[in-house]
Amino acid sequence: MSKALQAIRGMNDILPEQTPVWRYFEQTVADLLDSYGYRQIRMPIVEFTELFKRSIGEVTDIVEKEMYTFADRNGDSLTLRPEGTASCGRAVMEHGLINNGQVQKLWYIGQMFRHERPQKGRYRQFHQIGVEAFNLPGPDIDAELIILTWRLWKQLGIQEVVTLELNSLGTAEARAVYRKALVEYLEQHFDQLDEDSQRRLSTNPLRVLDSKNAQTQALLENAPKLDQYLDQESVEHFNGVKARLDAAGVPYVINAKLVRGLDYYGKTVFEWVTTELGAQGTVCAGGRYDGLIEQLGGKPTTGVGFAMGIERLILLLETLDKIPASLARTVDVFVCAFGEQAELQALNLVEALRDQQPQLRILVNAGGGSFKSQFKKADRSGALYALVLGEDECTQQVVAIKPLRTEGEQISVPWDQLSEYLTQQFSSH
């Protein structure tokens, strides 16, 4: 017997019962970004592998171990995108959107792919919303990105359980000096480092700061500190970011070990973290990447952005019971019709009602059925009201309206008053 077909491990279906929450979250974010003047861009999910090697860094965990890379029929090396910033950078360069210093404030949404060990909140196909701003070099735009995420948390009702961690990585030159001092210190204690940190010491030593190993973290207590090596420009920039967050009332903590896992970051980096989701505590992260476009072959262009994980944020909303109750109902009105004449008239009435009240979610019974069976379907649909049309209603040119979630009596409403009556009823819900 052949093996039953199923989804790839770590790549999940999002079922109809789950999609209302996804749509609610996505629409909330889209409306917020629209209100801040960000425009949507859509990029392919497959790019040339070289794009990610140049941007993320060949010695990062993502490029070394996690990317889905394959050769196509032409022999080109292609990769399912593991993140969106590099793709967005490539797109704005290719289409001349930033080549002459134009300011671009953009956002995108879509699937990302990393070959990781699947666990709760971490998947091989996952969804992100990303925001990028180009050719804005000052601390004001860094602060705006953080402030708008703070506004989002308040809209979602989760501001009490997320913490903003903030740091500055300085310029590439300042990091190079710090990297040398850090390596010299860690080499003296090489045998005490965990295996991952030993490997990173020769490839990406700043990632050692991000180690989850307790012994390595204890060792880092006496290591050189990045903020002691920051250049004056980065110090002033970072002070500008903090001043704006203070003015906006956004709370934060300084995390001197926050480095992010991608090579292109410099100056401001930040993460929004929570303790409500166990090990997968980061729900939104980003920072400044002023050298990325140049790394990709473009002109010197400043950039800053962030990405938020949709799965994790929805999981957080569910954990905290912050899903609006209205999302549980996907149907407002269920239409029952008995006999061909009634079915034809119901079709006429419903389509007119859709014209008049496009916000109403109306489900018309399909497949016929007895009075009892149609009312069972109406009840199971979750609708608030059933509209009933039979031979008598057609003769009298009325619709019987039965409340399904309250003790109200069934009444009859003339066809030409149906829309007005439903408006009155739904204004109280």
Side-chain angles (χ1 to χ4, degrees):
M1 187 174 180
S2 61
K3 185 179 178 181
L5 292 173
Q6 57 186 6
I8 297 167
R9 184 167 178 250
M11 299 187 179
N12 302 320
D13 299 307
I14 301 169
L15 301 176
E17 292 75 17
Q18 301 165 298
T19 52
V21 180
W22 280 70
R23 291 177 61 184
Y24 157 72
F25 176 80
E26 292 164 357
Q27 193 60 55
T28 301
V29 179
D31 291 344
L32 177 67
L33 291 169
D34 285 347
S35 76
Y36 273 80
Y38 289 79
R39 299 185 299 159
Q40 189 178 17
I41 184 171
R42 303 189 182 198
M43 300 90 65
I45 63 170
V46 180
E47 300 270 8
F48 287 112
T49 305
E50 183 65 18
L51 171 66
F52 302 112
K53 287 186 175 180
R54 280 204 219 174
S55 59
I56 298 172
E58 290 198 54
V59 293
T60 58
D61 286 353
I62 293 174
V63 171
E64 285 185 327
K65 300 186 293 186
E66 297 173 0
M67 294 203 310
Y68 282 91
T69 297
F70 57 95
D72 73 355
R73 292 183 180 181
N74 297 326
D76 293 319
S77 180
L78 306 181
T79 295
L80 292 173
R81 62 185 182 196
E83 58 94 47
T85 300
S87 292
C88 188
R90 188 269 312 151
V92 295
M93 281 173 51
E94 181 177 339
H95 299 286
L97 302 184
I98 57 171
N99 296 353
N100 296 311
Q102 304 101 306
V103 170
Q104 295 291 348
K105 298 170 73 175
L106 306 170
W107 72 275
Y108 50 85
I109 183 172
Q111 298 97 324
M112 310 294 164
F113 301 84
R114 296 185 192 177
H115 193 279
E116 301 185 280
R117 183 171 63 86
Q119 52 190 293
K120 190 175 183 180
R122 184 182 291 271
Y123 308 107
R124 291 177 175 173
Q125 175 180 295
F126 56 100
H127 298 74
Q128 286 186 339
I129 292 177
V131 179
E132 319 289 353
F134 298 97
N135 283 316
L136 290 166
D140 48 359
I141 190 66
D142 303 27
E144 178 180 276
L145 292 176
I146 294 170
I147 291 166
L148 74 83
T149 55
W150 176 240
R151 180 174 292 277
L152 175 62
W153 310 147
K154 289 191 289 185
Q155 289 182 1
L156 296 173
I158 61 174
Q159 73 274 17
E160 299 298 331
V161 299
V162 290
T163 299
L164 173 62
E165 296 187 350
L166 199 62
N167 195 22
S168 176
L169 302 182
T171 61
E173 294 75 19
R175 283 199 306 283
V177 176
Y178 171 67
R179 187 184 294 112
K180 182 179 178 183
L182 180 65
V183 169
E184 288 176 357
Y185 170 81
L186 292 176
E187 282 179 339
Q188 298 172 31
H189 307 276
F190 185 81
D191 292 341
Q192 296 171 257
L193 295 172
D194 62 275
E195 188 177 337
D196 265 354
S197 295
Q198 289 178 346
R199 177 178 58 84
R200 286 168 172 166
L201 191 57
S202 60
T203 58
N204 196 349
L206 263 62
R207 287 303 311 282
V208 176
L209 300 176
D210 203 27
S211 171
K212 301 298 186 288
N213 183 276
Q215 183 174 322
T216 297
Q217 280 300 324
L219 191 64
L220 288 168
E221 289 300 319
N222 296 317
K225 301 297 185 285
L226 178 56
D227 58 6
Q228 298 168 351
Y229 290 80
L230 288 183
D231 53 288
Q232 189 59 33
E233 176 192 345
S234 297
V235 170
E236 291 176 2
H237 187 99
F238 196 43
N239 287 339
V241 174
K242 291 186 290 183
R244 286 164 173 81
L245 296 181
D246 292 337
V250 179
Y252 59 86
V253 296
I254 302 299
N255 179 357
K257 296 175 182 176
L258 177 59
V259 294
R260 305 292 298 126
L262 310 178
D263 275 4
Y264 51 63
Y265 284 114
K267 291 187 178 175
T268 309
V269 288
F270 65 90
E271 289 187 359
W272 287 98
V273 298
T274 181
T275 58
E276 299 289 331
L277 298 179
Q280 310 307 323
T282 301
V283 296
C284 175
R288 183 162 280 280
Y289 47 84
D290 291 347
L292 173 62
I293 298 300
E294 212 170 347
Q295 273 179 244
L296 298 179
K299 298 176 182 177
T301 304
T302 62
V304 61
F306 67 77
M308 61 179 69
I310 299 179
E311 280 89 348
R312 287 189 193 176
L313 281 162
I314 287 178
L315 182 59
L316 183 58
L317 291 174
E318 292 171 341
T319 300
L320 299 173
D321 196 21
K322 294 294 184 179
I323 306 296
S326 60
L327 296 182
R329 190 179 77 249
T330 59
V331 178
D332 297 317
V333 174
F334 190 98
V335 181
C336 305
F338 305 97
E340 185 174 0
Q341 181 187 0
E343 288 179 6
L344 293 175
Q345 187 58 53
L347 179 65
N348 192 334
L349 284 174
V350 166
E351 290 308 307
L353 192 57
R354 293 189 200 278
D355 289 338
Q356 296 158 344
Q357 299 199 46
Q359 80 285 356
L360 278 185
R361 295 165 295 185
I362 306 170
L363 181 59
V364 179
N365 178 68
S370 66
F371 185 89
K372 185 177 180 180
S373 67
Q374 290 198 37
F375 263 93
K376 279 186 177 180
K377 288 187 199 176
D379 191 51
R380 287 197 300 266
S381 75
L384 295 180
Y385 295 94
L387 305 188
V388 183
L389 270 173
E391 185 177 330
D392 290 345
E393 285 79 18
C394 288
T395 300
Q396 299 169 32
Q397 296 191 359
V398 297
V399 177
I401 302 180
K402 180 175 178 58
L404 297 175
R405 307 290 164 228
T406 65
E407 298 299 321
E409 294 293 321
Q410 177 173 309
I411 67 166
S412 294
V413 175
W415 292 347
D416 60 358
Q417 296 176 25
L418 177 60
S419 178
E420 181 183 351
Y421 178 82
L422 290 177
T423 298
Q424 293 172 355
Q425 299 309 304
F426 280 97
S427 64
S428 62
H429 290 285

